[in-house]
Amino acid sequence: MQTKKLTIAIDGFSSCGKSTLAKDLASQLNYIFIDSGAMYRAVTLYCLRNNWISGDQIQITEIINALSTISIEFKIDDQGNKSISLNGENCENEIRQGHVASSVSRIAEIKEVREKLVHEQQKMGEKGGIVMDGRDIGTVVFPHADLKLFVTASIEVRVQRRFLELTQKDIQMTLDEVKDNLVERDFIDSNRKESPLIQAKEAILLDNSKMTREEQLQWVLDLVAGKEGQ
Ligand code: DC
């Protein structure tokens, strides 16, 4: 029997393992994986490079006018590694740096930025067979997704996970800096006017604070098996 190609939306707070889960699921199911946060980070990097962000000052008009010149793509190299490119340049590592992390929530508040990226994300998901993670995937990007998850974990666990990830990438940040950034981003993401982070009505809550990577994958695969047969 041909199984149905699902659209899976994963939303949740910063650094709760959404992308890891989405990547594991996509690889297990042979689906496309899209880290939508990387797209907001790439736009932020472009704005930083153009000096449109300085402290609390953001040059919104310049950013909106430049949106049509920003091209974001996901590419896969010969070894199967996926990376994001900004106007043709691989920016996978640079978008994870502290200066991008500190500004991205401000850029993600801009309505026109969201409209552009949501449109591109919807095109990527046209054929189904996709796992996308972010903040508004189940509410705005794919409101009719077959499976919606809302992922969370305790702040202590999230700080540890992000700190470890940054250390592995040789990015220097203290535990306190990581925590401040997560708390600030969660606040802005949950309280902004445009598509705030909220749990979609149908989304299933997954608190993975005490789960291993394998346990959370299996937990979701069981849900997927139920949906594929429907
Ligand atoms: O998932 P992440 O931490 O890489 O996301 C970076 C920022 O991008 C996050 O603080 C909020 C924003 N974002 C968003 O507003 N909507 C999404 N779908 C994904 C990310």
Side-chain angles (χ1 to χ4, degrees):
M1 188 182 76
Q2 182 87 29
T3 50
K4 188 176 156 197
K5 287 245 172 204
L6 306 178
T7 297
I8 303 178
I10 303 183
D11 290 301
F13 295 105
S14 296
S15 290
C16 59
K18 300 180 302 292
S19 293
T20 304
L21 172 61
K23 204 183 297 168
D24 288 349
L25 260 182
S27 127
Q28 190 80 22
L29 300 167
N30 214 7
Y31 281 11
I32 300 167
F33 155 60
I34 299 293
D35 168 3
S36 69
M39 300 171 74
Y40 288 92
R41 287 171 181 264
V43 172
T44 305
L45 177 61
Y46 189 84
C47 297
L48 284 164
R49 286 179 176 177
N50 283 284
N51 298 316
W52 293 329
I53 308 172
S54 114
D56 280 348
Q57 299 297 309
I58 294 180
Q59 298 186 37
I60 296 198
T61 311
E62 278 77 359
I63 296 172
I64 294 171
N65 288 341
L67 283 176
S68 62
T69 66
I70 304 178
S71 152
I72 293 171
E73 284 173 289
F74 289 96
K75 296 189 172 160
I76 301 183
D77 68 15
D78 296 343
Q79 280 79 46
N81 301 312
K82 196 164 181 179
S83 60
I84 188 163
S85 80
L86 169 63
N87 291 341
E89 176 201 335
N90 182 338
C91 62
E92 184 64 42
N93 283 336
E94 204 174 345
I95 59 163
R96 310 289 163 195
Q97 302 276 345
H99 64 302
V100 176
S102 347
S103 303
V104 61
S105 283
R106 291 284 171 208
I107 298 303
E109 286 185 298
I110 304 171
K111 182 166 139 268
E112 289 78 359
V113 170
R114 302 204 70 81
E115 283 170 353
K116 172 187 167 77
L117 297 187
V118 166
H119 177 69
E120 292 179 11
Q121 290 153 5
Q122 288 173 333
K123 273 202 307 205
M124 293 171 187
E126 259 167 7
K127 298 197 174 99
I130 187 165
V131 189
M132 189 176 292
D133 79 283
R135 304 296 188 290
D136 61 341
I137 311 303
T139 49
V140 177
V141 181
F142 301 133
H144 304 296
D146 301 285
L147 177 63
K148 298 182 186 181
L149 297 169
F150 191 87
V151 188
T152 187
S154 72
I155 184 73
E156 292 76 20
V157 168
R158 294 194 283 129
V159 169
Q160 279 299 337
R161 285 181 186 157
R162 178 52 60 104
F163 183 73
L164 197 73
E165 184 193 326
L166 293 174
T167 311
Q168 280 163 353
K169 289 185 174 153
D170 252 348
I171 297 174
Q172 309 293 327
M173 264 172 106
T174 65
L175 274 173
D176 281 345
E177 284 169 344
V178 172
K179 183 171 181 185
D180 289 349
N181 178 250
L182 292 192
V183 171
E184 188 193 12
R185 281 202 290 136
D186 284 347
F187 182 83
I188 299 174
D189 297 344
S190 307
N191 291 285
R192 68 184 175 217
K193 189 163 145 258
E194 302 296 331
S195 321
L197 168 65
I198 44 165
Q199 183 175 349
K201 217 169 24 46
E202 318 76 7
I204 299 170
L205 183 70
L206 166 60
D207 182 338
N208 64 16
S209 304
K210 295 193 175 136
M211 283 178 165
T212 62
R213 183 170 174 170
E214 293 72 27
E215 282 167 346
Q216 73 164 359
L217 175 62
Q218 193 51 54
W219 193 89
V220 181
L221 282 174
D222 291 344
L223 292 175
V224 170
K227 295 280 177 189
E228 279 175 336
Q230 280 174 13

